[in-house]
Amino acid sequence: MKWEKMNVKDVLNTLKTSFDGLSIDEARLRQEKYGKNELVEEEKDSPIKLFLMQFMDILIILLILAAIAAYFVGDELDAVVILAVVILNACIGFIQEYRAEKAMEKLKGLISSEAVVIRDGQTMEIPTSELTPGDLVVIEEGDNIPADIRLIETSELLIDESSLTGESVPVSKITEIENKENEREVMAYMDSYVVSGRGKGVVIEIGMNTSIGKIAEMIQEEEGKTPLQEKIASLGKSLGLIALLVSAAVFIIEFFKGSPLVETFTTAVSLAVAAVPEGLPAILTLTLALGMQRMAKTNAVVRKLLAVETLGSCTVICTDKTGTLTLNRMSVRDTWLTSPENALKICALCNNARLSEGKVIGDPTDGAILLYAEEEGYSPEELEKKYPRIMEIPLDSTRKRMSTINQMDDENYLLTKGAPEIILKHCKWIEKDGDLVEMGPQDQEEIMGLLNKMTRNALRVLALSYRKISPDENLEEKDSLERDLIFVGLVGMMDPPRQEATDAIEVCKKAGISVVMITGDHRDTAAAIAREIGVIEDGGRVLTGPELEKLSESEFEDIVEEVKVYARVFPEQKVRIVEALQNKDNVVSMTGDGVNDAPALKKAAIGVSMGITGTDVAKESSDMVLQDDNFATIVHAVKEGRTIFDNIRRFVKFQISTNVGAILTIVSASVLNLPIPFNPIQILWINIIMDGPPAQSLGVEPPEKNIMLRKPDKENILPRKNLLHIIIAGLVMAVGTLGLYIYQLSIGISEIQARTVAFTVFVMFQIFNVFNCKSKTGFSNRFLIIAISVSFLLQLMVIYVPFLQDIFRTTAISPVDWALIMVISSLILVSEKIVEKFT
């Protein structure tokens, strides 16, 4: 039903109701038919199920199997360490997901609990949940709209719809539409707020069928995986497959060689442990958490860990205009005053806004001209005392003007401001340099020319006028007062763009990130701001909500990457924009602050809500909250996201090098019929403890200098160039470790000492390999130096402390052994330089 297109009579007839409302019996029948006026929350997974789901991952399953196997072959310590890592990872994942399911609760909390209705001609208060289509609702100042209603009576009714639309200016409501652009002015939507006036409306939709109900349905849809989740899942499957194949192959080789079954199984378990990077989940979590802390210091509060990295992959940022790209503070940008003194008096006196500690209280447009008057030396407080107001003729959507009558020097003056085309119709005179001149066609033409110039620059323009009222005029005859006015000027205002937003958009262009502005503002206003801050060039493509409505999905997808500005869009269209961009293989970030933005915030790869103007629903639906509502903060966060992704690659490269080296070493030893050089606890030490501190330090490496001068990286965590580096590093580790191991065995030393030397040279390979994986920004990462030092000291303790020797099955080694170890392990630095030279 297009309720807004119907007149009041047709609306009442269609809903089979009247100005007396429904009968009580009819209301009861309709409640049974249509159900309660409530938002329905979908059944969610229980906390226990949510926790158990954290274990449904190939990496985690393999670790659990490895722990079980280790336990059954007598390596209880190995089993305990592996399970500790698994449980820690599951707890972190559970906390993140459990906290993310709060948006719907916030949305339900917005709905008012009581509503005033007319039934059987009697006014009564009922629970909001009992409203039904056809009910006649009475609304007045301070009320929350309890359902979607079609207005049938209004009296100076202003409704704040900012929580739904994101637009801060209250909407004047009427009962019959005048043109297509004001269709929404005859409607009132659930959860909007009555600022002033009163009215009546008939309920057209309740519960999940309301505008806010549709939003509730969308925000409960299952979220897609982030790019990092997909990449980690892909890596986990690959590593898991390698672990299974290699472990099975070695088990079969050892079995047919006649090795003892328990020993063969131990070897297979060692390989499984070696193939899976046990420390990866914990280090990934820590790296993202540290990134969250750094972002918080720059006003970007990340609510979901994986969102930190997603920003680094972002290819499109869809951003609101008001408050994000602009200051969200209307200010006077241009004026044309024929009588500055009188014009500034009108700005200060014909005004219902107030200033409190430099902040505007009231209508933003009124606030802008009030600030302008004060900045020009016309204090509103002083002028109000000197020229007291006698009466007011208020603004409404039909009159499009406001007047006050003020006493000035024992005489009454009418001061009027409003839409220029309306004010000019009521003006007979124009004041020029203190003289009154009858306004002629040439004056009208000059004023309209200036007006058109201002509007082309996206300014909201008010015309100012006045006249002296003669003593014999009847002030009660308001309609006749606003005549023969004296024109004194035009004042052009706009919400000015943030300078830092302009700079940030330039950074985005260099970084290969497309910025798209989405706003409820008029097309011209949106385009002008977009041009000023660099979102579009002259001739850039702008699409309005009604134009978007006419496009099919395929037509829209064909042009979606060309459109940089969307104006006059509806809430559901924001989701459509995100989906179309995602269908073109984009990683989309969406900003928003209203309830209407919540579905798009959830649909986007990363939803960004506003900390100052944002509703609780928007914040709960988002991945990141901007504490300063500033677009530039998003760009800082993108830089941090890219740095984090680079660092994830660094420690993944580092850890996988270790795993490949360990696999090649163990497999080669098995094939060569040698005793396995590492036991399972030593492999865990290599993977978790020795990998841990160095890998964690790689997670806080500073950004590369060109990080925001390159396009978004869509490659996997392990790009092809890194694979070659990893394979060569693994080969060098395996050859060096086995070579030294075989040498030690050949000169007749004990197997435990040979194993200790092999174990230690492999650890030293890791320490030197850290330098191959770090960034090219020098040695500014002090954590890296600390981590390497700690790792080296821990290895010394494992070799020389008797208590630890028993656990790790090691023994003390000589200075000669150390000399061989240092020479051989440092070869990994040489191999990396050779690979870099030829790739």
Side-chain angles (χ1 to χ4, degrees):
M1 285 287 184
K2 290 287 186 181
W3 300 105
E4 62 272 19
K5 295 184 183 295
M6 296 183 186
N7 60 37
V8 170
K9 183 179 178 182
D10 289 342
V11 170
L12 295 174
N13 288 340
T14 303
L15 287 165
K16 297 179 182 178
T17 188
S18 68
F19 281 96
D20 289 331
L22 298 172
S23 68
I24 292 174
D25 290 338
E26 177 63 21
R28 190 177 297 114
L29 288 172
R30 294 192 186 192
Q31 286 168 1
E32 292 174 3
K33 179 180 179 181
Y34 295 109
K36 290 192 172 185
N37 178 33
E38 294 176 335
L39 299 184
V40 180
E41 188 170 5
E42 291 180 5
E43 190 175 344
K44 293 186 291 191
D45 292 335
S46 68
I48 293 173
K49 184 178 178 182
L50 204 60
F51 180 73
L52 292 176
M53 288 299 291
Q54 304 305 313
F55 297 93
M56 297 297 104
D57 179 88
I58 187 68
L59 270 173
I60 301 302
I61 292 169
L62 281 169
L63 285 174
I64 293 171
L65 291 174
I68 293 170
Y71 176 79
F72 279 109
V73 298
D75 289 315
E76 291 89 353
L77 187 60
D78 295 11
V80 169
V81 174
I82 295 172
L83 286 177
V85 171
V86 168
I87 292 169
L88 174 65
N89 186 68
C91 289
I92 292 169
F94 168 75
I95 292 167
Q96 290 299 317
E97 287 193 34
Y98 188 71
R99 290 174 59 191
E101 295 298 325
K102 300 297 181 184
M104 187 62 189
E105 292 177 21
K106 295 288 184 182
L107 191 57
K108 289 175 75 176
L110 294 173
I111 310 305
S112 59
S113 57
E114 302 290 332
V116 177
V117 299
I118 298 174
R119 286 182 179 168
D120 281 332
Q122 301 295 312
T123 302
M124 60 184 71
E125 193 173 89
I126 65 169
T128 298
S129 61
E130 293 181 9
L131 282 177
T132 194
D135 258 329
L136 199 63
V137 178
V138 179
I139 54 175
E140 59 184 21
E141 184 174 332
D143 287 346
N144 269 39
I145 307 299
D148 281 4
I149 63 177
R150 170 61 163 86
L151 296 166
I152 61 173
E153 282 184 16
T154 61
S155 176
E156 299 178 3
L157 182 63
L158 280 176
I159 294 183
D160 179 358
E161 297 180 344
S162 59
S163 65
L164 287 169
T165 64
E167 298 303 319
S168 57
V169 180
V171 180
S172 180
K173 296 294 182 177
I174 53 180
T175 57
E176 301 290 355
I177 65 169
E178 298 164 352
N179 54 61
K180 287 184 178 179
E181 287 197 0
N182 72 347
E183 285 179 353
R184 291 173 69 89
E185 292 177 16
V186 300
M187 307 289 292
Y189 301 96
M190 182 185 271
D191 185 45
S192 53
Y193 174 78
V194 181
V195 175
S196 62
R198 59 189 183 278
K200 291 179 184 176
V202 61
V203 174
I204 56 171
E205 297 289 1
I206 61 170
M208 297 301 283
N209 290 325
T210 61
S211 294
I212 201 169
K214 290 170 185 173
I215 290 170
E217 192 173 354
M218 286 188 276
I219 66 173
Q220 293 184 85
E221 291 177 0
E222 190 175 346
E223 292 183 74
K225 289 187 176 180
T226 68
L228 183 61
Q229 283 175 310
E230 291 174 351
K231 290 165 185 173
I232 289 291
S234 175
L235 178 63
K237 288 174 183 175
S238 301
L239 293 174
L241 184 61
I242 291 169
L244 290 173
L245 292 175
V246 174
S247 298
V250 170
F251 182 85
I252 292 168
I253 293 170
E254 292 290 310
F255 180 79
F256 282 107
K257 280 167 53 179
S259 300
L261 189 61
V262 173
E263 185 181 322
T264 302
F265 189 69
T266 305
T267 303
V269 170
S270 299
L271 264 176
V273 174
V276 180
E278 290 85 352
L280 183 57
I283 296 169
L284 178 65
T285 301
L286 181 62
T287 300
L288 294 172
L290 291 171
M292 285 175 69
Q293 288 185 340
R294 289 194 298 273
M295 285 183 177
K297 293 176 183 177
T298 59
N299 293 316
V301 177
V302 177
R303 300 183 63 256
K304 299 175 186 176
L305 271 181
L306 287 166
V308 178
E309 178 277 333
T310 309
L311 273 167
S313 309
C314 181
T315 59
V316 180
I317 300 175
C318 295
T319 174
D320 188 22
K321 175 184 72 68
T322 306
T324 310
L325 297 174
T326 64
L327 294 170
N328 195 21
R329 187 180 67 241
M330 292 291 285
S331 63
V332 174
R333 295 283 294 267
D334 195 7
T335 61
W336 185 70
L337 307 179
T338 63
S339 175
E341 183 179 339
N342 285 329
L344 288 163
K345 284 181 181 177
I346 296 166
C347 288
L349 295 170
C350 185
N351 202 314
N352 285 330
R354 291 289 179 269
L355 299 178
S356 176
E357 298 179 358
K359 294 183 178 179
V360 172
I361 300 172
D363 181 79
T365 304
D366 278 2
I369 62 173
L370 197 68
L371 277 170
Y372 172 61
E374 184 163 83
E375 287 167 1
E376 293 295 319
Y378 287 75
S379 167
E381 288 186 8
E382 292 177 10
L383 288 173
E384 284 171 2
K385 290 176 185 176
K386 189 175 181 181
Y387 307 125
R389 182 185 295 187
I390 296 171
M391 64 173 285
E392 175 188 339
I393 308 174
L395 169 76
D396 65 41
S397 60
T398 304
R399 288 167 26 79
K400 295 183 179 178
R401 62 189 183 276
M402 170 189 174
S403 295
T404 62
I405 296 177
N406 293 68
Q407 186 177 346
M408 298 182 175
D409 302 325
D410 298 324
E411 293 188 281
N412 291 339
Y413 280 81
L414 179 83
L415 312 179
T416 304
K417 73 174 193 296
E421 64 275 13
I422 301 295
I423 297 295
L424 285 174
K425 289 177 184 177
H426 293 76
C427 285
K428 184 178 180 180
W429 310 91
I430 180 169
E431 186 172 350
K432 295 181 178 179
D433 301 323
D435 297 325
L436 294 185
V437 180
E438 189 166 351
M439 184 178 286
Q442 189 174 348
D443 295 312
Q444 293 256 5
E445 189 177 325
E446 182 182 9
I447 293 168
M448 290 307 296
L450 289 163
L451 173 62
N452 290 334
K453 181 183 176 183
M454 287 183 175
T455 54
R456 280 196 302 271
N457 289 327
L459 298 181
R460 180 178 295 174
V461 185
L462 289 178
L464 309 172
S465 61
Y466 78 99
R467 78 174 179 90
K468 185 165 71 172
I469 297 177
S470 60
D472 59 348
E473 288 189 64
N474 184 357
L475 300 186
E476 295 302 318
E477 295 179 1
K478 296 180 181 180
D479 292 341
S480 64
L481 291 174
E482 295 168 328
R483 57 178 171 78
D484 299 338
L485 300 176
I486 302 164
F487 180 88
V488 292
L490 299 173
V491 181
M493 294 147 289
M494 76 180 306
D495 180 9
R498 295 176 181 263
Q499 178 56 47
E500 60 269 33
T502 305
D503 299 338
I505 286 167
E506 185 61 30
V507 171
C508 284
K509 288 180 178 178
K510 292 177 181 177
I513 301 169
S514 176
V515 179
V516 176
M517 178 198 288
I518 303 177
T519 179
D521 269 352
H522 190 274
R523 180 192 202 110
D524 293 342
T525 304
I529 290 286
R531 277 194 297 271
E532 187 169 347
I533 62 178
V535 170
I536 57 172
E537 308 293 334
D538 287 335
R541 190 151 194 177
V542 180
L543 200 65
T544 65
E547 290 169 345
L548 174 56
E549 195 77 20
K550 295 174 184 176
L551 296 174
S552 68
E553 293 303 320
S554 59
E555 288 173 333
F556 182 41
E557 283 189 19
D558 287 342
I559 65 167
V560 67
E561 293 184 304
E562 300 171 19
V563 181
K564 302 300 180 189
V565 177
Y566 293 88
R568 296 290 194 206
V569 294
F570 300 119
E572 57 273 17
Q573 291 176 325
K574 294 186 178 183
V575 176
R576 189 180 175 193
I577 294 166
V578 171
E579 288 178 335
L581 286 166
Q582 288 175 334
N583 289 340
K584 299 292 253 183
D585 198 30
N586 285 293
V587 177
V588 182
S589 169
M590 166 66 78
T591 71
D593 53 9
V595 172
N596 67 310
D597 294 317
L601 292 174
K602 288 204 76 171
K603 180 66 68 176
I606 176 158
V608 182
S609 62
M610 303 297 121
I612 299 172
T613 60
T615 59
D616 285 343
V617 177
K619 292 175 186 176
E620 292 293 343
S621 299
S622 66
D623 304 292
M624 187 171 81
V625 181
L626 299 185
Q627 295 292 71
D628 56 0
D629 290 14
N630 191 340
F631 180 81
T633 303
I634 304 175
V635 181
H636 291 314
V638 169
K639 181 180 180 181
E640 187 65 48
R642 288 189 174 190
T643 303
I644 287 167
F645 187 53
D646 282 355
N647 288 341
I648 288 172
R649 273 190 173 162
R650 289 186 181 107
F651 70 65
V652 167
K653 175 186 173 184
F654 175 74
Q655 282 207 301
I656 303 302
S657 299
T658 300
N659 299 129
V660 170
I663 290 170
L664 291 175
T665 302
I666 293 170
V667 171
S668 299
S670 179
V671 171
L672 295 172
N673 205 24
L674 294 169
I676 303 299
F678 318 126
N679 58 47
I681 195 68
Q682 289 174 346
I683 294 170
L684 266 179
W685 176 259
I686 292 166
N687 278 11
I688 296 176
I689 307 301
M690 298 310 299
D691 272 4
Q696 287 169 16
S697 68
L698 288 173
V700 292
E701 278 287 286
E704 302 283 4
K705 291 180 180 178
N706 68 337
I707 196 162
M708 292 303 282
L709 297 175
R710 68 190 197 209
K711 291 186 177 182
D713 197 335
K714 294 185 180 180
E715 281 197 84
N716 290 326
I717 294 177
L718 279 177
R720 289 182 181 178
K721 64 177 183 179
N722 277 8
L723 283 173
L724 179 62
H725 288 256
I726 287 168
I727 292 167
I728 297 298
L731 283 169
V732 171
M733 291 179 204
V735 171
T737 302
L738 282 176
L740 190 54
Y741 183 49
I742 293 168
Y743 169 74
Q744 293 282 319
L745 291 173
S746 69
I747 60 174
I749 66 170
S750 65
E751 186 175 313
I752 189 172
Q753 186 170 350
R755 268 189 167 171
T756 303
V757 170
F759 172 42
T760 305
V761 76
F762 197 86
V763 167
M764 292 309 301
F765 269 126
Q766 312 317 307
I767 290 176
F768 282 116
N769 195 34
V770 170
F771 296 101
N772 292 335
C773 300
K774 71 179 298 298
S775 69
K776 304 291 191 290
T777 53
F779 290 90
S780 57
N781 183 2
R782 59 190 175 91
F783 297 106
L784 184 68
I785 306 301
I786 294 170
I788 290 170
S789 303
V790 168
S791 296
F792 183 70
L793 287 172
L794 287 172
Q795 185 62 20
L796 289 177
M797 291 172 66
V798 165
I799 297 171
Y800 294 108
V801 175
F803 168 70
L804 294 175
Q805 285 177 338
D806 292 339
I807 294 175
F808 286 90
R809 298 155 210 165
T810 58
T811 187
I813 55 177
S814 68
V816 174
D817 292 331
W818 271 110
L820 287 170
I821 287 167
M822 298 305 285
V823 170
I824 291 171
S825 59
S826 63
L827 291 175
I828 200 163
L829 296 173
V830 179
S831 69
E832 179 72 10
K833 294 298 180 185
I834 294 170
V835 173
E836 282 182 357
K837 187 173 183 180
F838 291 98
T839 57

